[in-house]
Amino acid sequence: MYGKILVPVDLSNANKAERAVKKAEALLDQGGQIVLMNVVEDLPGYLAIDVPMDIIENAVKDAKSQLAVLKAKSPHISLTEIRSGAPAREILAFAEEIGVDLIIISSHTPDFTNYFIGSTADRVVRHAKCSVLVDR
């Protein structure tokens, strides 16, 4: 099926993350690898003054520990990556860098805000150069 699968996870919903990893395991070639990724969003400049300076550092530390827990649950996860920035842009850039065959991304039920700005999953689907499976 697929030799290298990228699973970008939103760590605020552990159930969806675990479900995406299980789907990746089911679609993985023998000897293939799963790569977990999380993107910590940058704070807009107008908010940076009003929040503690170490908020991004703490978010990265928290993401590392949560990804380690997920990695321990699957022998197929070979790598975890944490990036900072716009989620869709970082997911797409990392997918190209490591040459994945498939991206499995979770999506929430669309609401009114998606019609104006779109969701991360929408952007990844539109711009990915590999196959994308959207898990709902």
Side-chain angles (χ1 to χ4, degrees):
M1 298 258 214
Y2 297 97
K4 188 180 285 187
I5 301 175
L6 175 62
V7 182
V9 293
D10 175 0
L11 296 171
S12 66
N13 193 331
N15 291 337
K16 280 189 176 183
E18 287 181 22
R19 190 170 65 211
V21 169
K22 290 205 182 306
K23 287 187 182 196
E25 289 173 334
L27 295 171
L28 194 63
D29 282 339
Q30 187 173 0
Q33 58 182 328
I34 297 171
V35 178
L36 286 183
M37 176 186 198
N38 178 258
V39 180
V40 176
E41 290 190 63
D42 288 332
L43 290 175
Y46 62 87
L47 286 179
I49 286 178
D50 296 328
V51 296
M53 292 191 62
D54 60 351
I55 194 165
I56 297 294
E57 290 173 23
N58 290 338
V60 169
K61 286 179 189 174
D62 186 45
K64 282 181 184 178
S65 66
Q66 289 186 48
L67 287 178
V69 169
L70 280 171
K71 185 177 180 182
K73 293 181 179 182
S74 173
H76 303 291
I77 297 172
S78 62
L79 175 68
T80 60
E81 175 80 5
I82 298 172
R83 298 246 175 141
S84 182
R89 183 183 68 229
E90 295 299 325
I91 291 166
L92 292 166
F94 186 56
E96 274 196 62
E97 284 173 28
I98 64 171
V100 300
D101 305 313
L102 175 68
I103 300 171
I104 298 179
I105 188 166
S106 296
S107 178
H108 56 80
T109 304
D111 61 11
F112 189 65
T113 60
N114 293 109
Y115 294 107
F116 292 111
I117 58 172
S119 72
T120 299
D122 293 335
R123 290 184 181 111
V124 169
V125 167
R126 275 189 248 126
H127 301 286
K129 295 182 178 171
C130 64
S131 297
V132 179
L133 184 141
V134 179
D135 181 42
R136 264 199 214 256

